[in-house]
Amino acid sequence: MEEPPLLASTSRATASVASSSSANCPDPMDEGPSVSVPGLPFAEQLRAAGRGASSGSPGGPEAQVQALASISRGIYPLARAEALRGLAAVLETADAPGGVVELCHGCAVGLMRDEDEGVRLASVRLIALCADKLNTREGSDGNGDNQTDIMFLQLSSMARDMCTNVRIEAFNALGKMQRVSEGVLLQSLSKKVIKPNTGSGSIIKGEKVPPKLIYPCAAGIFAHGIEDEFHQVRTAACKSLGALSKLSAQYAQKALDLLMGMMNDDTEAVRLQTLQALFHMATYGCLTVQEMHMHMFLGLLVDMNASIRDATRKILGLVNLPKLQMFKSAIDVLITSLEKHQEEQEIYSVLFSVGKNHGNFSANIAKHLAKEISMPSDGELILDKPRIKALLIVSISVAFSDDKHNKRDIPEVIFSHAISLLGKISCAIGEVVDQNSLLSYFCQRTGIPFWETKLPSRESEGCSVETVADIRPRIEKTVKSTKCLDEVLTMQSVKSIIETVERTWTIRKSCNIRDVRNILRTCKEELRILASNSSGSTGAFLSFLCEYLDAVQFIVEILRSFQLDNSYDLGPTSPDILLEKLDTSIRRMKCCYAGFNRGMEIQVCELALLANLFGLSKVGIQSKLVLDKLHWVINRLDCLCADGSCELSYFSREIKKAFNANFVGHDIFTLLELFHPKPTTDYGMLKTISADLQVRDNDPENSSTYVCGLPVAVSLYISLCNISSQDRLWLRMIVGESIQHTFLELSSFGGNDEVKSCSTIIPFYATPMACSFVLRACLVMECPYGSVSIRQECNRGPSGSIIELSDELDVYFVCTKRR
């Protein structure tokens, strides 16, 4: 068979790079067409890069690459492998120009068929690194796109290698490719050679480029990979299948068919990796579950392995089920799993997520359950049954969905029975909504008076609590590292997360709001995993980023509420509450961290600018309070950028212009769209400000005594971390509607600048006339930073806004006469 022109030219280019090693290293193009490896399409660039290297400085990367390339042609396998690893080190540490990348690629291709498996392994890693360098180039032309296709095909050919480690490395490298032609991707799934499709092309940043030639060496590479005899290879192939799915919807659908077949694999690690790949596909909106796949998912929900069941539930909480019968089947199997494994309480959270994502189907469940509650078949309805509790949670989830019509149709009897399961429902919803707010909503829907502090609402058509911050799913924790994570690897993960957040913000208008929430939740969970294994400044920075992503999610929810024109909604999810939560998040970023550099403070100031714009959009531009806060933030930004070391962003400059013009001729909603989150990774010597509060000799079974009407002593142990002498701390104690603030003198604390502690006794004066009571204590700190809250504090104590530094602590008291 005559060799295609492109392959012939690239073969000659490859041969010219590795001419001296041709005797020991057969040309990869000498294989048959089914496994042929395309060479480099840029021989002229290689020679030009070589001339540039010879004339360059002795210490530059070109000279290093030339020296290592000559070593790679040696007769000793260890020397050849070490030379390839040296080339990889040069690419990783230097800002290598295009010629250097191409030279390194040429050396790697020349040794792809080396007789030594260590050399082949190093060759695969070097090709993968060259592909990564090409992916990061901006403004690449069609020739660059062709290069990435060729590298994908070369790696595909190495996935057939006789060495297991080489195959594993090749599949891992394939999963990291960021730019591949759709035709090549589809060919990698099919063992049959596909004819070139003139309509397909490479997908770059959401746009298609002209199609490329389809090479047979990629034919069915993943189909072969998932059938490999070694489970490590099958695991790597499944991981790459899921990673590449975000590049093409058609590829994702065909890859799903292969992954579903891997659910029956004999090895647990392969099945778990398959579910992990499906989870990532669902997170990026690439997973479309069809009826033919449901039996496999439903079978995994009742699998004997707890890890398999848990991973499957996480996927089910994210996917969309298009048919009512599929939804009912999923709910029934989840209930069956709950009845068999009642200790797995996270099933309730999955039931809530599935019900919330399918509000119209859940409304159907709610109506049938209301009839069953009204007329129980056995004469008595037992609310403690797992099935009834599960169906109640599914029915309540309708109130949290985006379907306003179905929110009004939930039968009142559902809410009245839900009150008795408040704790269970609150745990299923997550940490976003406290039990008091949830109970207030339930009582409001049933007409039952609620004595607690009223929420700022008179009536509510629904309880879309998801718009507060969304329900955080329990993302599968795949990173189980040691306590001390390597800082370099951690920051690489952080940069990847930040890039994901920036891309998500860019596409938020064109994407489903649920997809945006899922991606942000996943990013926050990954940051929390990294933070739990980090300490010092790195741990503080990761904690700060979690706060920043909380603020971004609140901003997304507020913008969405404006777009839906539901700014007059009342209840725990009104825009006022969202704005208050955004304000709290901004204050925590500014006041709960010490050692800010300018870049980080500018980030917080821009968030404050945006929050103040939200405030103006709610109360109007005549609000002097909000305008004063906006003026304060603008002045602070000017001070930070006064010396020219930092520049105001376009968003900040436009806000300043509008403010100076009294917003005449400026639309606030247009200004809101100018904001773009861009977290910095330069955190310097950042420290976390925190506090811990403990009560001595007190618990529910060992209550302290008191006399009605007389002050009571509260014995506390307080520890402070990174608190400065300028900070003003208060102890807040609450009993019912009585609130008492006690100022803490930092001079009474012992320790150093980093950690201070003391034991103290604080009197509480407003003891109730009751046989017992519970006092809630918490440490708070004054926050002088500009706040966007429009509610005024009427209690004596701290001036301005405050931030809670410790968790709220319960202290139990019992009257001496009744003990």
Side-chain angles (χ1 to χ4, degrees), residues 369 373 383 388-396 414 417-418 421:
L369 180 60
I373 292 175
L383 290 178
I388 299 300
K389 288 190 287 188
L391 292 178
L392 270 174
I393 288 176
V394 174
S395 302
I396 289 297
I414 296 292
H417 282 77
L421 298 175

Side-chain angles (χ1 to χ4, degrees), residues 205-465:
K205 298 180 181 179
E207 298 181 359
K208 286 190 176 182
V209 300
K212 308 293 184 300
L213 182 64
I214 306 304
Y215 296 97
C217 64
I221 191 61
F222 284 111
H224 290 294
I226 62 176
E227 298 171 355
D228 196 277
E229 60 179 315
F230 294 99
H231 72 86
Q232 296 92 339
V233 179
R234 300 198 299 274
T235 301
C238 290
K239 182 178 180 180
S240 295
L241 270 173
L244 292 171
S245 296
K246 62 180 179 290
L247 300 181
S248 166
Q250 187 179 358
Y251 173 87
Q253 189 57 46
K254 292 183 179 295
L256 177 61
D257 296 334
L258 292 181
L259 289 172
M260 295 305 296
M262 297 304 294
M263 298 295 190
N264 295 319
D265 196 276
D266 296 332
T267 306
E268 178 185 335
V270 177
R271 298 168 69 199
L272 284 174
Q273 182 57 63
T274 302
L275 291 170
Q276 173 73 23
L278 292 173
F279 177 79
H280 284 302
M281 291 172 66
T283 301
Y284 285 100
C286 304
L287 182 59
T288 303
V289 178
Q290 299 178 1
E291 201 164 1
M292 58 183 286
H293 301 141
M294 278 303 295
H295 74 282
M296 185 66 70
F297 274 110
L298 299 181
L300 294 173
L301 287 173
V302 291
D303 193 272
M304 295 297 294
N305 188 295
S307 299
I308 297 292
R309 295 196 302 271
D310 184 59
T312 308
R313 288 194 295 263
K314 289 178 172 64
I315 297 171
L316 194 60
L318 295 177
V319 299
N320 179 47
L321 303 175
K323 295 183 179 180
L324 177 61
Q325 187 58 44
M326 295 171 62
F327 173 79
K328 287 184 175 181
S329 299
I331 296 298
D332 289 340
V333 176
L334 283 171
I335 293 175
T336 301
S337 179
L338 180 62
E339 291 172 342
K340 285 175 136 182
H341 311 281
Q342 295 192 28
E343 70 281 1
E344 297 180 357
Q345 296 296 301
E346 60 270 15
I347 297 178
Y348 288 114
S349 298
V350 178
L351 283 164
F352 177 83
S353 298
V354 174
K356 174 179 59 64
N357 295 340
H358 305 82
N360 54 337
F361 296 161
S362 300
N364 185 283
I365 296 283
K367 293 175 182 178
H368 284 83
L369 180 60
K371 293 180 181 179
E372 184 176 347
I373 292 175
S374 303
M375 297 178 293
S377 58
D378 54 359
E380 182 180 1
L381 182 72
I382 302 177
L383 290 178
D384 198 38
K385 289 182 178 179
R387 175 180 171 275
I388 299 300
K389 288 190 287 188
L391 292 178
L392 270 174
I393 288 176
V394 174
S395 302
I396 289 297
S397 68
V398 182
F400 297 77
S401 68
D402 295 330
D403 194 332
K404 290 186 176 182
H405 176 72
N406 286 322
K407 289 179 184 179
R408 306 188 190 100
D409 293 341
I410 308 176
E412 183 179 303
V413 67
I414 296 292
F415 293 100
S416 61
H417 282 77
I419 292 176
S420 60
L421 298 175
L422 179 65
K424 185 73 66 179
I425 296 174
S426 179
C427 291
I429 292 175
E431 302 174 357
V432 175
V433 180
D434 60 87
Q435 288 192 15
N436 283 341
S437 300
L438 198 60
L439 178 59
S440 173
Y441 175 70
F442 288 166
C443 292
Q444 185 181 21
R445 292 299 301 265
T446 56
I448 300 175
F450 184 61
W451 59 270
E452 265 287 349
T453 304
K454 296 293 183 180
L455 295 167
S457 64
R458 297 181 180 177
E459 59 181 16
S460 176
E461 295 181 353
C463 184
S464 301
V465 183

Side-chain angles (χ1 to χ4, degrees), residues 88-107:
V90 171
L91 284 181
E92 289 176 342
T93 58
D95 186 12
V100 170
V101 175
E102 294 157 2
L103 277 173
C104 293
H105 183 207
C107 292

Side-chain angles (χ1 to χ4, degrees), residues 45-81:
Q45 291 92 323
L46 277 173
R47 288 191 285 271
R51 290 192 296 270
S54 63
S55 61
S57 61
E62 294 88 350
Q64 296 175 2
V65 169
Q66 287 287 349
L68 291 169
S70 64
I71 297 175
S72 71
R73 306 185 189 106
I75 62 174
Y76 298 106
L78 290 178
R80 296 197 296 273

Side-chain angles (χ1 to χ4, degrees), residues 436-733:
N436 283 341
S437 300
L438 198 60
L439 178 59
S440 173
Y441 175 70
F442 288 166
C443 292
Q444 185 181 21
R445 292 299 301 265
T446 56
I448 300 175
F450 184 61
W451 59 270
E452 265 287 349
T453 304
K454 296 293 183 180
L455 295 167
S457 64
R458 297 181 180 177
E459 59 181 16
S460 176
E461 295 181 353
C463 184
S464 301
V465 183
E466 187 178 16
T467 58
V468 178
D470 199 15
I471 313 306
R472 183 179 63 184
R474 296 169 184 171
I475 306 299
E476 184 174 13
K477 298 184 178 180
T478 58
V479 182
K480 292 183 178 179
S481 54
T482 58
K483 290 184 179 180
C484 299
L485 279 176
D486 181 80
E487 186 175 341
V488 175
L489 295 177
T490 300
M491 293 312 299
Q492 288 177 349
S493 300
V494 169
K495 289 178 181 178
S496 176
I497 292 172
I498 290 176
E499 290 173 359
T500 302
V501 172
E502 292 177 357
R503 289 195 300 268
T504 304
W505 178 269
T506 303
I507 65 174
R508 73 187 190 282
K509 289 184 178 180
S510 58
C511 279
N512 189 295
I513 185 66
R514 184 176 60 198
D515 298 333
V516 176
R517 291 167 181 155
N518 290 337
I519 294 173
L520 292 177
R521 285 200 305 269
T522 303
C523 291
K524 286 191 291 184
E525 188 63 27
E526 291 176 354
L527 283 175
R528 290 189 179 96
I529 294 172
L530 294 173
S532 65
N533 293 282
S534 303
S535 58
S537 296
T538 302
F541 173 64
L542 294 173
S543 177
F544 173 84
L545 276 185
C546 289
E547 297 279 1
Y548 190 90
L549 291 194
D550 280 336
V552 170
Q553 188 158 354
F554 289 135
I555 292 168
V556 171
E557 300 292 353
I558 294 173
L559 288 173
R560 177 176 174 274
S561 68
F562 287 168
Q563 292 171 356
L564 297 179
D565 194 24
N566 60 353
S567 56
Y568 297 101
D569 281 359
L570 303 173
T573 60
S574 68
D576 289 336
I577 302 298
L578 290 173
L579 186 58
E580 189 69 25
K581 288 181 176 291
L582 175 60
D583 174 42
T584 301
S585 182
I586 294 172
R587 279 187 278 131
R588 286 194 61 82
M589 280 187 281
K590 184 61 181 73
C591 301
C592 292
Y593 298 90
F596 267 124
N597 57 31
R598 293 192 182 188
M600 297 186 73
E601 187 168 358
I602 287 175
Q603 283 184 177
V604 178
C605 286
E606 289 194 345
L607 288 175
L609 279 181
L610 186 66
N612 279 287
L613 280 184
F614 285 140
L616 287 179
S617 67
K618 293 292 297 179
V619 300
I621 61 173
Q622 303 303 322
S623 172
K624 186 177 184 303
L625 176 64
V626 180
L627 288 174
D628 288 344
K629 293 171 185 175
L630 190 62
H631 190 202
W632 187 94
V633 177
I634 292 173
N635 287 340
R636 181 58 185 164
L637 279 171
D638 287 338
C639 291
L640 293 172
C641 301
D643 61 354
S645 59
C646 300
E647 292 184 0
L648 289 175
S649 66
Y650 179 72
F651 169 72
S652 300
R653 293 196 301 271
E654 290 300 310
I655 299 298
K656 183 178 179 181
K657 291 179 183 177
F659 179 82
N660 293 335
N662 293 324
F663 291 93
V664 176
H666 294 81
D667 181 51
I668 292 180
F669 292 98
T670 302
L671 295 174
L672 290 174
E673 295 296 330
L674 299 179
F675 175 78
H676 185 85
K678 192 173 181 63
T680 181
T681 56
D682 180 16
Y683 54 89
M685 300 301 294
L686 192 65
K687 297 179 180 179
T688 302
I689 297 175
S690 60
D692 182 59
L693 184 64
Q694 299 177 16
V695 62
R696 298 296 179 85
D697 302 325
N698 187 281
D699 56 60
E701 298 180 356
N702 184 29
S703 303
S704 301
T705 59
Y706 79 104
V707 177
C708 293
L710 295 181
V712 64
V714 184
S715 179
L716 300 168
Y717 176 77
I718 304 172
S719 61
L720 309 175
C721 184
N722 296 318
I723 298 292
S724 70
S725 56
Q726 287 76 31
D727 294 326
R728 291 174 55 85
L729 269 62
W730 298 76
L731 175 68
R732 184 182 66 194
M733 294 181 285

